[in-house]
Amino acid sequence: MRTVDRYAVAVHSHNLRSDARTSASDADLLAAAGLASKRSPVGLALMRINAGDPHEAARLVEVLAGMLVGKAWHSDREKLPRDEARTMAAQLLAWHLDRSCPHCAGRGFPKVNGAPALGSNPCRHCHGTGRRDPQDAVPHARRWLVRWLQAELEREAGFAAPAVERTLGGDA
């Protein structure tokens, strides 16, 4: 079982006893995740959101908004309003969690009304890919920030599980 899946199971476990004979108990995994969150806080926040924590998304949006404000200032000495950064962060997080186009439900082609079939023309929003672009809802002048944050989110998501595994000692 993947570390991300084991984490989701451990978060909802009713048995948090640690077993001295193994480092793979739910309690060990949660402790390792807590320690790994020092190295990869955004990645672990994404793991918590995927595990079903309803409050973590709001906290992560604030962290991501702070990252956007800081990047805008340090790169271009541009003062990005916090509300705009929060909106951009929320849109990017929503995209990260569900990348399918909401207009065609990820099929690439719209459904024909009243029929169990898809139309022959590609979706005009995603151009037939079935995926939405996170930059579509952002003004053109700010798209570089979204691309940067998108790369950071992907990087952090990739660091989370290996950080937990290293903390467990590699036998996870």
Side-chain angles (χ1 to χ4, degrees), residues 13-158:
S13 176
H14 295 291
N15 179 9
L16 293 179
R17 289 191 190 109
S18 186
D19 186 356
R21 295 172 292 182
T22 180
S23 64
S25 69
D26 290 342
D28 295 329
L29 186 68
L30 293 175
L35 291 172
S37 70
K38 296 294 184 187
R39 283 184 246 147
S40 181
V42 172
L44 264 293
L46 287 170
M47 281 178 63
R48 284 191 292 275
I49 290 169
N50 288 329
D53 186 343
H55 306 290
E56 192 62 35
R59 288 189 292 257
L60 184 56
V61 164
E62 289 302 319
V63 169
L64 296 176
M67 290 170 66
L68 283 169
V69 168
K71 181 66 173 180
W73 178 253
H74 291 296
S75 293
D76 288 348
R77 295 283 188 238
E78 179 182 351
K79 188 164 176 123
L80 180 66
R82 188 73 176 191
D83 289 340
E84 186 177 346
R86 196 176 291 120
T87 301
M88 290 167 60
Q91 289 172 345
L92 188 62
L93 181 59
W95 169 84
H96 185 78
L97 297 174
D98 181 16
R99 298 173 186 198
S100 61
C101 174
H103 302 283
C104 66
R107 292 184 289 266
F109 293 85
K111 283 182 71 173
V112 175
N113 288 337
L118 298 178
S120 59
N121 296 327
C123 174
R124 60 187 170 97
H125 300 281
C126 68
H127 309 291
T129 63
R131 298 196 168 245
R132 59 185 168 150
D133 187 356
Q135 301 176 43
D136 285 345
V138 179
H140 188 69
R142 305 257 195 241
R143 288 187 176 180
W144 69 273
L145 277 171
V146 172
R147 283 192 300 271
W148 172 80
L149 188 60
Q150 180 181 355
E152 287 296 305
L153 214 53
E154 294 291 331
R155 185 178 64 83
E156 285 285 329

